[in-house]
Protein backbone atom coordinates (compact mmCIF):
# COMPACT_ATOMS: atom_id res chain seq x y z
CA UNK A 1 0.00 0.00 0.00
CA UNK A 2 1.37 3.40 -1.01
CA UNK A 3 -1.04 5.55 1.05
CA UNK A 4 -0.25 6.38 4.67
CA UNK A 5 -2.88 7.04 7.33
CA UNK A 6 -1.94 9.14 10.35
CA UNK A 7 -4.71 9.32 12.93
CA UNK A 8 -2.68 10.75 15.82
CA UNK A 9 -4.82 13.87 15.85
CA UNK A 10 -7.98 11.86 16.46
CA UNK A 11 -6.62 10.70 19.81
CA UNK A 12 -6.92 12.33 23.22
CA UNK A 13 -3.15 12.03 23.60
CA UNK A 14 -2.83 14.68 20.86
CA UNK A 15 -5.97 16.83 21.06
CA UNK A 16 -7.15 16.43 24.63
CA UNK A 17 -10.69 15.97 25.85
CA UNK A 18 -12.35 15.93 22.41
CA UNK A 19 -10.10 13.09 21.29
CA UNK A 20 -10.59 9.34 21.43
CA UNK A 21 -8.94 7.20 24.06
CA UNK A 22 -6.76 4.37 22.73
CA UNK A 23 -8.55 2.09 25.20
CA UNK A 24 -11.87 2.80 23.40
CA UNK A 25 -10.41 1.16 20.30
CA UNK A 26 -9.15 -1.83 22.26
CA UNK A 27 -12.36 -2.28 24.24
CA UNK A 28 -14.50 -2.49 21.10
CA UNK A 29 -13.00 -5.71 19.70
CA UNK A 30 -16.46 -7.31 19.40
CA UNK A 31 -17.79 -4.35 17.40
CA UNK A 32 -14.73 -4.44 15.13
CA UNK A 33 -15.12 -8.16 14.54
CA UNK A 34 -18.83 -7.73 13.75
CA UNK A 35 -18.30 -4.80 11.37
CA UNK A 36 -15.41 -6.59 9.70
CA UNK A 37 -17.43 -9.79 9.26
CA UNK A 38 -20.46 -7.88 7.95
CA UNK A 39 -18.40 -6.44 5.11
CA UNK A 40 -15.85 -9.16 4.42
CA UNK A 41 -18.24 -12.13 4.61
CA UNK A 42 -20.48 -10.43 2.07
CA UNK A 43 -17.62 -9.46 -0.21
CA UNK A 44 -18.60 -10.11 -3.82
CA UNK A 45 -22.20 -10.88 -2.84
CA UNK A 46 -25.45 -8.90 -3.03
CA UNK A 47 -24.68 -5.18 -3.33
CA UNK A 48 -21.03 -5.80 -2.59
CA UNK A 49 -19.93 -6.88 -6.04
CA UNK A 50 -17.83 -3.70 -6.16
CA UNK A 51 -15.17 -5.49 -4.11
CA UNK A 52 -14.52 -7.64 -7.20
CA UNK A 53 -13.95 -4.73 -9.61
CA UNK A 54 -10.15 -4.63 -9.18
CA UNK A 55 -9.91 -8.28 -10.25
CA UNK A 56 -10.76 -7.58 -13.89
CA UNK A 57 -8.66 -9.84 -16.10
CA UNK A 58 -6.03 -8.66 -18.55
CA UNK A 59 -8.08 -9.58 -21.63
CA UNK A 60 -10.95 -7.36 -20.48
CA UNK A 61 -8.52 -4.50 -19.77
CA UNK A 62 -6.94 -4.93 -23.21
CA UNK A 63 -10.36 -4.85 -24.85
CA UNK A 64 -11.27 -1.66 -23.02
CA UNK A 65 -7.99 -0.04 -24.00
CA UNK A 66 -8.48 -1.03 -27.65
CA UNK A 67 -11.99 0.42 -27.63
CA UNK A 68 -10.75 3.57 -25.90
CA UNK A 69 -8.05 4.07 -28.51
CA UNK A 70 -10.53 3.62 -31.36
CA UNK A 71 -12.61 6.50 -29.97
CA UNK A 72 -9.62 8.61 -28.98
CA UNK A 73 -8.25 8.45 -32.51
CA UNK A 74 -11.33 10.01 -34.06
CA UNK A 75 -13.01 12.15 -31.38
CA UNK A 76 -12.42 15.86 -30.89
CA UNK A 77 -14.66 15.81 -27.82
CA UNK A 78 -15.89 13.05 -25.54
CA UNK A 79 -19.03 13.63 -23.49
CA UNK A 80 -20.15 11.57 -20.50
CA UNK A 81 -23.88 11.76 -19.73
CA UNK A 82 -24.69 10.60 -16.22
CA UNK A 83 -25.45 11.80 -12.72
CA UNK A 84 -24.51 10.89 -9.14
CA UNK A 85 -22.52 7.69 -9.05
CA UNK A 86 -22.65 7.52 -12.83
CA UNK A 87 -20.67 10.76 -13.16
CA UNK A 88 -18.60 11.41 -10.05
CA UNK A 89 -16.11 8.58 -10.68
CA UNK A 90 -15.26 9.81 -14.18
CA UNK A 91 -15.11 13.40 -12.89
CA UNK A 92 -12.79 12.79 -9.92
CA UNK A 93 -10.42 10.34 -11.60
CA UNK A 94 -10.06 12.33 -14.82
CA UNK A 95 -9.47 15.50 -12.83
CA UNK A 96 -6.80 13.74 -10.79
CA UNK A 97 -4.99 12.09 -13.67
CA UNK A 98 -5.35 14.44 -16.62
CA UNK A 99 -3.68 17.82 -16.99
CA UNK A 100 -5.57 20.35 -14.85
CA UNK A 101 -6.41 22.39 -17.96
CA UNK A 102 -6.81 19.38 -20.23
CA UNK A 103 -9.43 20.86 -22.53
CA UNK A 104 -7.43 24.03 -23.13
CA UNK A 105 -4.27 22.22 -24.22
CA UNK A 106 -3.55 21.94 -27.96
CA UNK A 107 -4.66 18.55 -29.33
CA UNK A 108 -1.06 17.50 -30.07
CA UNK A 109 -0.17 17.90 -26.40
CA UNK A 110 -3.27 16.48 -24.81
CA UNK A 111 -3.44 13.35 -27.04
CA UNK A 112 -7.04 12.62 -26.04
CA UNK A 113 -10.31 14.38 -26.80
CA UNK A 114 -11.69 17.27 -24.82
CA UNK A 115 -13.73 15.87 -21.96
CA UNK A 116 -17.12 17.03 -20.71
CA UNK A 117 -18.99 15.22 -17.93
CA UNK A 118 -22.55 16.50 -17.97
CA UNK A 119 -24.00 15.76 -14.55
CA UNK A 120 -26.74 18.35 -14.50
CA UNK A 121 -29.72 19.32 -16.61
CA UNK A 122 -29.41 23.07 -16.38
CA UNK A 123 -30.67 24.11 -19.84
CA UNK A 124 -27.95 26.77 -20.09
CA UNK A 125 -25.32 24.10 -19.55
CA UNK A 126 -26.74 21.91 -22.32
CA UNK A 127 -26.93 24.88 -24.68
CA UNK A 128 -23.37 25.85 -23.74
CA UNK A 129 -22.14 22.33 -24.45
CA UNK A 130 -23.70 22.41 -27.89
CA UNK A 131 -22.00 25.77 -28.45
CA UNK A 132 -18.50 24.43 -27.82
CA UNK A 133 -18.47 20.90 -29.27
CA UNK A 134 -18.39 19.89 -32.90
CA UNK A 135 -21.09 17.27 -32.65
CA UNK A 136 -19.97 15.56 -35.87
CA UNK A 137 -16.72 14.53 -34.21
CA UNK A 138 -18.02 14.10 -30.66
CA UNK A 139 -18.68 10.73 -28.98
CA UNK A 140 -21.11 10.21 -26.13
CA UNK A 141 -21.04 7.68 -23.28
CA UNK A 142 -24.50 7.43 -21.72
CA UNK A 143 -24.06 6.00 -18.22
CA UNK A 144 -26.96 4.92 -16.05
CA UNK A 145 -27.08 1.89 -13.82
CA UNK A 146 -30.87 1.79 -13.73
CA UNK A 147 -31.39 2.94 -17.31
CA UNK A 148 -34.34 4.96 -16.02
CA UNK A 149 -32.90 8.20 -14.65
CA UNK A 150 -34.81 11.23 -15.97
CA UNK A 151 -31.77 13.52 -16.10
CA UNK A 152 -29.63 11.13 -18.12
CA UNK A 153 -32.46 10.00 -20.39
CA UNK A 154 -33.41 13.59 -21.21
CA UNK A 155 -29.79 14.41 -22.10
CA UNK A 156 -29.60 11.28 -24.26
CA UNK A 157 -32.80 12.18 -26.14
CA UNK A 158 -31.62 15.73 -26.84
CA UNK A 159 -28.16 14.74 -28.01
CA UNK A 160 -29.19 11.68 -30.05
CA UNK A 161 -31.69 13.89 -31.86
CA UNK A 162 -29.04 16.54 -32.48
CA UNK A 163 -26.59 13.88 -33.68
CA UNK A 164 -29.07 12.38 -36.15
CA UNK A 165 -29.68 15.82 -37.60
CA UNK A 166 -25.95 16.48 -37.87
CA UNK A 167 -24.60 13.18 -39.21
CA UNK A 168 -27.66 11.15 -40.25
CA UNK A 169 -29.44 8.27 -38.54
CA UNK A 170 -26.97 5.51 -39.34
CA UNK A 171 -23.80 7.40 -38.39
CA UNK A 172 -25.39 8.78 -35.19
CA UNK A 173 -25.49 5.24 -33.76
CA UNK A 174 -21.70 5.06 -33.96
CA UNK A 175 -21.35 8.15 -31.79
CA UNK A 176 -23.19 6.72 -28.81
CA UNK A 177 -22.19 3.94 -26.43
CA UNK A 178 -24.12 2.98 -23.37
CA UNK A 179 -23.04 1.77 -19.93
CA UNK A 180 -25.94 0.22 -18.06
CA UNK A 181 -27.08 -2.91 -16.23
CA UNK A 182 -26.84 -5.84 -18.61
CA UNK A 183 -30.25 -6.96 -19.85
CA UNK A 184 -32.27 -4.54 -17.72
CA UNK A 185 -33.88 -1.11 -17.93
CA UNK A 186 -35.34 1.18 -20.58
CA UNK A 187 -32.00 2.38 -21.86
CA UNK A 188 -30.72 -1.17 -22.30
CA UNK A 189 -33.75 -2.00 -24.46
CA UNK A 190 -33.27 1.12 -26.58
CA UNK A 191 -29.56 0.44 -26.92
CA UNK A 192 -30.25 -3.06 -28.23
CA UNK A 193 -32.90 -1.78 -30.63
CA UNK A 194 -30.76 1.06 -31.94
CA UNK A 195 -27.61 -1.04 -32.11
CA UNK A 196 -25.47 1.02 -29.71
CA UNK A 197 -22.39 -0.59 -28.23
CA UNK A 198 -23.26 -1.65 -24.66
CA UNK A 199 -20.95 -1.95 -21.66
CA UNK A 200 -22.50 -3.84 -18.75
CA UNK A 201 -22.61 -2.92 -15.08
CA UNK A 202 -22.80 -5.95 -12.75
CA UNK A 203 -26.17 -6.06 -11.00
CA UNK A 204 -24.55 -5.95 -7.54
CA UNK A 205 -22.56 -2.79 -8.15
CA UNK A 206 -24.49 0.30 -7.03
CA UNK A 207 -23.96 3.78 -8.50
CA UNK A 208 -21.71 5.26 -5.85
CA UNK A 209 -19.61 2.07 -5.71
CA UNK A 210 -19.25 1.78 -9.49
CA UNK A 211 -16.20 3.89 -10.32
CA UNK A 212 -14.00 0.84 -10.95
CA UNK A 213 -16.60 -0.93 -13.11
CA UNK A 214 -17.31 0.00 -16.74
CA UNK A 215 -18.93 3.19 -15.38
CA UNK A 216 -15.44 4.57 -14.84
CA UNK A 217 -13.28 2.27 -16.92
CA UNK A 218 -14.85 3.09 -20.29
CA UNK A 219 -14.28 6.86 -19.94
CA UNK A 220 -10.81 6.22 -18.53
CA UNK A 221 -9.98 4.04 -21.54
CA UNK A 222 -11.20 6.71 -23.94
CA UNK A 223 -9.09 9.34 -22.17
CA UNK A 224 -6.04 7.05 -22.30
CA UNK A 225 -5.62 6.64 -18.53
CA UNK A 226 -3.68 3.75 -17.04
CA UNK A 227 -6.50 1.36 -16.09
CA UNK A 228 -4.16 -1.46 -15.14
CA UNK A 229 -2.37 0.62 -12.50
CA UNK A 230 -5.67 2.04 -11.22
CA UNK A 231 -7.02 -1.46 -10.66
CA UNK A 232 -3.70 -2.63 -9.21
CA UNK A 233 -3.89 0.17 -6.63
CA UNK A 234 -7.49 -0.74 -5.83
CA UNK A 235 -6.53 -4.39 -5.40
CA UNK A 236 -3.68 -3.47 -3.06
CA UNK A 237 -6.06 -1.39 -0.94
CA UNK A 238 -8.61 -4.19 -0.96
CA UNK A 239 -5.96 -6.44 0.59
CA UNK A 240 -5.20 -3.82 3.25
CA UNK A 241 -8.91 -3.47 4.02
CA UNK A 242 -9.23 -7.22 4.43
CA UNK A 243 -6.73 -7.28 7.31
CA UNK A 244 -8.71 -8.41 10.37
CA UNK A 245 -6.64 -6.42 12.88
CA UNK A 246 -8.08 -2.91 13.11
CA UNK A 247 -4.66 -1.45 13.83
CA UNK A 248 -3.40 -2.42 10.39
CA UNK A 249 -6.66 -1.93 8.46
CA UNK A 250 -6.97 1.75 7.44
CA UNK A 251 -10.62 1.67 6.40
CA UNK A 252 -11.79 -0.25 9.47
CA UNK A 253 -9.83 2.07 11.77
CA UNK A 254 -11.00 5.38 10.30
CA UNK A 255 -14.58 4.08 9.98
CA UNK A 256 -14.53 3.27 13.68
CA UNK A 257 -13.00 6.63 14.60
CA UNK A 258 -15.70 8.37 12.55
CA UNK A 259 -18.37 6.19 14.17
CA UNK A 260 -17.17 7.12 17.67
CA UNK A 261 -16.98 10.76 16.59
CA UNK A 262 -20.58 10.68 15.35
CA UNK A 263 -21.63 9.23 18.69
CA UNK A 264 -20.01 12.19 20.44
CA UNK A 265 -21.81 14.73 18.25
CA UNK A 266 -19.21 15.25 15.53
CA UNK A 267 -21.78 15.09 12.78
CA UNK A 268 -19.80 16.82 10.06
CA UNK A 269 -17.04 15.16 8.08
CA UNK A 270 -14.82 17.55 6.15
CA UNK A 271 -12.75 16.26 3.25
CA UNK A 272 -9.83 18.56 2.59
CA UNK A 273 -7.30 17.57 -0.07
CA UNK A 274 -4.24 19.76 -0.52
CA UNK A 275 -4.02 19.31 -4.30
CA UNK A 276 -6.21 20.72 -7.04
CA UNK A 277 -6.10 17.38 -8.82
CA UNK A 278 -7.89 15.84 -5.84
CA UNK A 279 -10.53 18.56 -5.56
CA UNK A 280 -13.28 16.34 -6.95
CA UNK A 281 -12.27 13.41 -4.73
CA UNK A 282 -14.18 15.41 -2.13
CA UNK A 283 -17.29 15.29 -4.31
CA UNK A 284 -16.88 11.54 -4.69
CA UNK A 285 -16.43 11.17 -0.94
CA UNK A 286 -19.38 13.44 -0.14
CA UNK A 287 -21.72 11.38 -2.28
CA UNK A 288 -20.65 7.96 -1.04
CA UNK A 289 -20.59 9.07 2.61
CA UNK A 290 -23.90 10.96 2.53
CA UNK A 291 -25.99 8.62 0.40
CA UNK A 292 -24.69 5.49 2.10
CA UNK A 293 -24.77 6.53 5.75
CA UNK A 294 -27.71 8.94 5.97
CA UNK A 295 -30.42 6.48 6.98
CA UNK A 296 -33.66 6.61 8.97
CA UNK A 297 -33.71 3.02 10.15
CA UNK A 298 -31.16 0.37 11.03
CA UNK A 299 -31.15 -3.18 9.71
CA UNK A 300 -33.47 -4.25 12.53
CA UNK A 301 -36.04 -1.65 11.41
CA UNK A 302 -35.49 0.65 14.39
CA UNK A 303 -35.61 4.40 13.74
CA UNK A 304 -32.05 5.71 14.14
CA UNK A 305 -31.75 8.77 11.83
CA UNK A 306 -27.99 8.46 11.52
CA UNK A 307 -25.36 9.88 9.21
CA UNK A 308 -22.59 12.41 9.15
CA UNK A 309 -22.84 15.45 6.87
CA UNK A 310 -19.87 15.52 4.50
CA UNK A 311 -18.37 18.88 3.58
CA UNK A 312 -15.97 19.77 0.79
CA UNK A 313 -12.93 21.87 1.42
CA UNK A 314 -9.75 22.53 -0.56
CA UNK A 315 -6.32 23.26 0.83
CA UNK A 316 -4.96 25.87 0.79
CA UNK A 317 -7.88 27.86 -0.66
CA UNK A 318 -10.24 27.16 2.23
CA UNK A 319 -7.66 28.08 4.84
CA UNK A 320 -8.83 31.57 3.98
CA UNK A 321 -12.49 30.79 4.60
CA UNK A 322 -13.55 27.61 6.39
CA UNK A 323 -10.52 26.87 8.58
CA UNK A 324 -11.52 29.70 10.92
CA UNK A 325 -14.72 27.75 11.61
CA UNK A 326 -12.89 24.45 11.95
CA UNK A 327 -10.50 25.78 14.59
CA UNK A 328 -12.85 27.96 16.63
CA UNK A 329 -16.41 26.91 15.87
CA UNK A 330 -18.33 24.05 17.47
CA UNK A 331 -16.61 20.74 18.15
CA UNK A 332 -18.83 19.02 15.62
CA UNK A 333 -16.39 18.04 12.87
CA UNK A 334 -13.82 15.50 11.84
CA UNK A 335 -11.43 16.86 9.22
CA UNK A 336 -9.74 14.47 6.82
CA UNK A 337 -6.73 16.06 5.19
CA UNK A 338 -5.22 14.54 2.06
CA UNK A 339 -1.61 15.45 1.46
CA UNK A 340 0.69 14.76 -1.48
CA UNK A 341 4.43 14.27 -0.92
CA UNK A 342 5.60 14.84 -4.44
CA UNK A 343 3.63 16.86 -7.01
CA UNK A 344 3.73 16.21 -10.75
CA UNK A 345 5.43 19.57 -11.28
CA UNK A 346 7.75 21.74 -9.25
CA UNK A 347 7.50 25.53 -9.39
CA UNK A 348 10.28 27.72 -7.98
CA UNK A 349 9.68 31.05 -6.33
CA UNK A 350 12.73 32.72 -7.88
CA UNK A 351 15.46 33.70 -5.40
CA UNK A 352 16.87 36.29 -7.80
CA UNK A 353 13.66 38.27 -8.30
CA UNK A 354 14.50 41.90 -7.56
CA UNK A 355 11.00 43.09 -6.55
CA UNK A 356 11.29 43.85 -2.84
CA UNK A 357 8.36 41.87 -1.59
CA UNK A 358 7.91 38.49 0.09
CA UNK A 359 11.64 38.04 0.76
CA UNK A 360 10.86 35.08 3.06
CA UNK A 361 9.31 33.21 0.11
CA UNK A 362 12.13 33.63 -2.39
CA UNK A 363 14.22 30.57 -3.06
CA UNK A 364 11.47 28.22 -1.97
CA UNK A 365 9.01 26.31 -4.20
CA UNK A 366 5.22 26.30 -4.33
CA UNK A 367 5.58 22.60 -3.47
CA UNK A 368 7.28 23.47 -0.19
CA UNK A 369 4.74 26.19 0.52
CA UNK A 370 1.61 24.06 -0.03
CA UNK A 371 2.97 21.26 2.15
CA UNK A 372 4.10 23.69 4.83
CA UNK A 373 0.59 25.17 4.86
CA UNK A 374 -0.95 21.70 5.11
CA UNK A 375 1.21 20.83 8.09
CA UNK A 376 0.46 24.24 9.59
CA UNK A 377 -3.28 23.56 9.32
CA UNK A 378 -2.83 20.15 10.95
CA UNK A 379 -0.90 21.86 13.74
CA UNK A 380 -3.50 24.62 14.19
CA UNK A 381 -6.32 22.07 14.31
CA UNK A 382 -4.46 19.92 16.80
CA UNK A 383 -3.65 22.94 18.97
CA UNK A 384 -7.33 23.89 18.98
CA UNK A 385 -8.25 20.33 20.03
CA UNK A 386 -9.99 19.48 16.75
CA UNK A 387 -10.30 15.91 15.46
CA UNK A 388 -8.42 15.40 12.22
CA UNK A 389 -6.46 12.75 10.40
CA UNK A 390 -4.21 12.83 7.37
CA UNK A 391 -4.00 10.52 4.39
CA UNK A 392 -0.73 10.99 2.53
CA UNK A 393 -0.26 10.03 -1.09
CA UNK A 394 3.39 9.79 -2.16
CA UNK A 395 2.21 11.19 -5.49
CA UNK A 396 -1.05 11.38 -7.43
CA UNK A 397 -0.98 8.66 -10.07
CA UNK A 398 -3.29 5.91 -11.31
CA UNK A 399 -2.14 3.46 -8.64
CA UNK A 400 -2.54 5.80 -5.67
CA UNK A 401 -5.89 7.07 -6.99
CA UNK A 402 -7.05 3.43 -7.24
CA UNK A 403 -5.98 2.94 -3.62
CA UNK A 404 -7.80 6.07 -2.46
CA UNK A 405 -11.08 5.17 -4.20
CA UNK A 406 -11.06 1.64 -2.81
CA UNK A 407 -10.29 3.00 0.66
CA UNK A 408 -13.30 5.36 0.45
CA UNK A 409 -15.56 2.46 -0.54
CA UNK A 410 -14.36 0.17 2.25
CA UNK A 411 -14.38 2.96 4.83
CA UNK A 412 -18.01 3.69 3.95
CA UNK A 413 -18.98 0.02 4.05
CA UNK A 414 -17.34 -0.45 7.48
CA UNK A 415 -18.91 2.76 8.83
CA UNK A 416 -22.32 1.52 7.70
CA UNK A 417 -21.64 -1.81 9.42
CA UNK A 418 -20.71 -0.10 12.71
CA UNK A 419 -23.93 1.91 12.44
CA UNK A 420 -25.89 -1.27 11.75
CA UNK A 421 -27.61 0.19 8.68
CA UNK A 422 -28.08 -0.84 5.06
CA UNK A 423 -25.23 1.07 3.43
CA UNK A 424 -26.22 0.22 -0.10
CA UNK A 425 -29.81 1.45 -0.42
CA UNK A 426 -31.09 5.02 -0.85
CA UNK A 427 -34.82 5.09 -0.01
CA UNK A 428 -34.63 8.78 0.82
CA UNK A 429 -34.13 9.82 -2.79
CA UNK A 430 -37.19 7.94 -4.04
CA UNK A 431 -39.83 10.47 -2.97
CA UNK A 432 -38.20 13.24 -5.00
CA UNK A 433 -37.90 10.97 -8.05
CA UNK A 434 -41.61 10.06 -7.88
CA UNK A 435 -42.64 13.70 -7.48
CA UNK A 436 -40.57 14.60 -10.55
CA UNK A 437 -42.25 11.87 -12.61
CA UNK A 438 -45.65 13.15 -11.47
CA UNK A 439 -44.92 16.79 -12.32
CA UNK A 440 -43.56 15.91 -15.72
CA UNK A 441 -46.69 13.85 -16.46
CA UNK A 442 -45.34 10.27 -16.50
CA UNK A 443 -48.13 7.69 -16.71
CA UNK A 444 -48.75 5.84 -13.45
CA UNK A 445 -47.98 8.83 -11.22
CA UNK A 446 -51.44 10.50 -11.32
CA UNK A 447 -52.16 10.06 -7.61
CA UNK A 448 -48.75 11.49 -6.72
CA UNK A 449 -49.62 14.54 -8.84
CA UNK A 450 -52.88 14.97 -6.91
CA UNK A 451 -50.94 14.76 -3.66
CA UNK A 452 -48.52 17.41 -4.92
CA UNK A 453 -51.31 19.70 -6.06
CA UNK A 454 -53.00 19.46 -2.68
CA UNK A 455 -50.00 21.14 -1.04
CA UNK A 456 -50.92 24.82 -0.61
CA UNK A 457 -48.41 27.54 0.20
CA UNK A 458 -49.41 30.17 2.76
CA UNK A 459 -48.90 33.62 1.20
CA UNK A 460 -48.13 35.12 4.60
CA UNK A 461 -44.83 33.23 4.66
CA UNK A 462 -43.71 34.53 1.27
CA UNK A 463 -41.78 37.80 0.96
CA UNK A 464 -42.07 39.54 -2.41
O1 LIG B 1 -25.31 6.11 -5.90
C1 LIG B 1 -26.38 6.03 -6.45
O2 LIG B 1 -27.04 4.97 -6.47
C2 LIG B 1 -26.98 7.22 -7.16
O3 LIG B 1 -26.27 8.38 -6.92
C3 LIG B 1 -27.02 6.97 -8.67
O4 LIG B 1 -25.72 6.80 -9.14
C4 LIG B 1 -27.72 8.10 -9.40
O5 LIG B 1 -29.01 8.31 -8.88
C5 LIG B 1 -27.81 7.80 -10.90
O6 LIG B 1 -28.49 6.60 -11.10
P1 LIG B 1 -28.37 5.81 -12.45
O7 LIG B 1 -26.96 5.39 -12.61
O8 LIG B 1 -29.31 4.67 -12.29
O9 LIG B 1 -28.77 6.73 -13.54
Amino acid sequence: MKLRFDYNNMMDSAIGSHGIKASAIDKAQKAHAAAFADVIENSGKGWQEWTESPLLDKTAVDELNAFGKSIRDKATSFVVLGIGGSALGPICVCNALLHLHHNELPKTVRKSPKLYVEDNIDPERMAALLDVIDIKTTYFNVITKSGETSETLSQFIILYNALKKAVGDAAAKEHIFVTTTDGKGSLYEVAVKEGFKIFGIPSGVGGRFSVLSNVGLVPFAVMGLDIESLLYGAKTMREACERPDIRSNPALMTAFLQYLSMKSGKNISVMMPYADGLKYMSDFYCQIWAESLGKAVNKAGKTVNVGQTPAKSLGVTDQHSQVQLYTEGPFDKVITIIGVDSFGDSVDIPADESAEVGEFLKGHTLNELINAERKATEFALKKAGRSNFTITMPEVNAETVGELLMYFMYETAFAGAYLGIDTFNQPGVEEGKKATFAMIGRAGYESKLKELESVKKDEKFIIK
Side-chain angles (χ1 to χ4, degrees):
M1 173 172 81
K2 297 266 164 66
L3 267 51
R4 303 191 304 273
F5 296 82
D6 176 353
Y7 58 94
N8 269 286
N9 290 349
M10 293 296 290
M11 310 306 295
D12 67 342
S13 48
I15 60 167
S17 61
H18 289 278
I20 290 164
K21 290 190 192 324
S23 59
I25 300 173
D26 297 331
K27 272 191 210 146
Q29 292 305 333
K30 265 195 186 157
H32 307 324
F36 183 78
D38 190 10
V39 174
I40 302 302
E41 282 171 12
N42 290 309
S43 186
K45 300 180 202 154
W47 282 106
Q48 275 185 225
E49 264 189 80
W50 54 271
T51 59
E52 309 305 288
S53 307
L55 310 180
L56 197 67
D57 63 42
K58 170 123 182 51
T59 317
V61 172
D62 289 347
E63 277 170 20
L64 277 166
N65 283 332
F67 173 78
K69 183 172 181 328
S70 73
I71 300 296
R72 196 157 66 240
D73 286 348
K74 57 190 176 189
T76 55
S77 295
F78 170 51
V79 180
V80 170
L81 307 178
I83 197 163
S86 290
L88 285 165
I91 291 172
C92 71
V93 173
C94 290
N95 188 67
L97 300 181
L98 293 173
H99 188 282
L100 281 173
H101 294 293
H102 174 82
N103 283 3
E104 283 102 300
L105 289 173
K107 170 102 205 247
T108 45
V109 180
R110 80 180 127 78
K111 297 193 176 70
S112 55
K114 291 184 180 178
L115 172 69
Y116 301 92
V117 184
E118 297 302 299
D119 65 344
N120 201 357
I121 46 165
D122 179 337
E124 289 189 29
R125 181 157 161 188
M126 176 58 81
L129 176 75
L130 288 165
D131 283 342
V132 295
I133 59 169
D134 176 0
I135 199 160
K136 294 188 180 132
T137 50
T138 298
Y139 289 77
F140 298 87
N141 188 184
V142 190
I143 308 178
T144 163
K145 158 90 182 152
S146 62
E148 307 291 346
T149 304
S150 307
E151 293 88 342
T152 310
L153 293 185
S154 62
Q155 292 172 323
F156 160 72
I157 294 166
I158 293 162
L159 290 164
Y160 190 35
N161 190 263
L163 263 174
K164 286 197 267 194
K165 285 185 182 138
V167 299
D169 289 11
K173 297 182 196 305
E174 304 299 320
H175 285 248
I176 297 212
F177 38 99
V178 162
T179 308
T180 193
T181 306
D182 249 330
K184 224 175 137 194
S186 304
L187 191 67
Y188 177 82
E189 283 165 30
V190 168
V192 171
K193 204 162 147 231
E194 298 289 310
F196 301 144
K197 184 161 179 57
I198 302 172
F199 294 91
I201 307 173
S203 55
V205 176
R208 54 195 179 272
F209 289 84
S210 68
V211 54
L212 300 171
S213 73
N214 280 333
V215 166
L217 298 185
V218 175
F220 305 156
V222 172
M223 297 311 290
L225 302 183
D226 181 355
I227 291 177
E228 221 165 337
S229 297
L230 187 85
L231 294 178
Y232 176 78
K235 189 164 159 277
T236 309
M237 182 55 73
R238 179 183 130 135
E239 283 157 17
C241 296
E242 284 179 343
R243 296 174 189 155
D245 177 10
I246 188 165
R247 293 204 180 263
S248 56
N249 182 326
L252 189 62
M253 176 59 86
T254 59
F256 181 64
L257 297 175
Q258 291 281 23
Y259 166 70
L260 282 190
S261 302
M262 286 181 232
K263 291 215 317 185
S264 68
K266 296 189 181 70
N267 288 319
I268 299 171
S269 172
V270 177
M271 184 55 61
M272 190 172 194
Y274 272 72
D276 275 53
L278 301 176
K279 183 173 178 178
Y280 295 99
M281 284 293 164
S282 300
D283 292 63
F284 180 88
Y285 171 79
C286 284
Q287 192 220 4
I288 199 166
W289 201 246
E291 207 166 345
S292 302
L293 303 184
K295 296 290 155 68
V297 292
N298 66 14
K299 277 187 179 165
K302 188 176 163 226
T303 300
V304 285
N305 297 115
V306 291
Q308 196 187 32
T309 305
K312 295 186 267 185
S313 190
L314 179 68
V316 303
T317 310
D318 285 307
Q319 283 181 207
H320 298 266
S321 67
Q322 300 184 41
V323 168
Q324 169 60 32
L325 172 73
Y326 303 165
T327 48
E328 294 195 358
F331 286 83
D332 58 356
K333 298 171 199 67
V334 175
I335 296 123
T336 306
I337 292 172
I338 308 180
V340 177
D341 285 333
S342 177
F343 286 80
D345 284 296
S346 180
V347 176
D348 293 332
I349 307 170
D352 58 359
E353 169 52 47
S354 58
E356 286 176 12
V357 70
E359 293 305 322
F360 63 100
L361 297 167
K362 290 178 186 173
H364 290 284
T365 61
L366 289 184
N367 310 51
E368 283 177 81
L369 188 58
I370 192 170
N371 278 337
E373 294 203 31
R374 167 170 62 81
K375 287 176 193 155
T377 300
E378 268 182 59
F379 169 76
L381 289 168
K382 168 188 152 34
K383 200 170 165 192
R386 308 299 162 136
S387 305
N388 69 93
F389 66 93
T390 297
I391 304 168
T392 308
M393 298 170 84
E395 58 183 58
V396 177
N397 58 34
E399 184 181 339
T400 56
V401 164
E403 285 193 11
L404 185 66
L405 292 167
M406 206 58 174
Y407 158 74
F408 282 150
M409 292 192 261
Y410 270 98
E411 187 199 29
T412 305
F414 285 133
Y418 278 114
L419 289 166
I421 53 155
D422 183 343
T423 310
F424 304 103
N425 67 2
Q426 52 283 322
V429 298
E430 288 308 313
E431 189 60 30
K433 280 191 183 178
K434 286 181 201 148
T436 304
F437 290 149
M439 280 188 277
I440 216 89
R442 186 171 180 171
Y445 291 85
E446 295 75 12
S447 64
K448 183 57 67 186
L449 185 61
K450 277 202 186 119
E451 188 190 335
L452 275 159
E453 285 169 350
S454 71
V455 177
K456 299 284 174 248
K457 293 258 172 148
D458 193 331
E459 284 295 318
K460 74 172 181 277
F461 298 130
I462 298 176
I463 300 172
K464 289 178 183 160

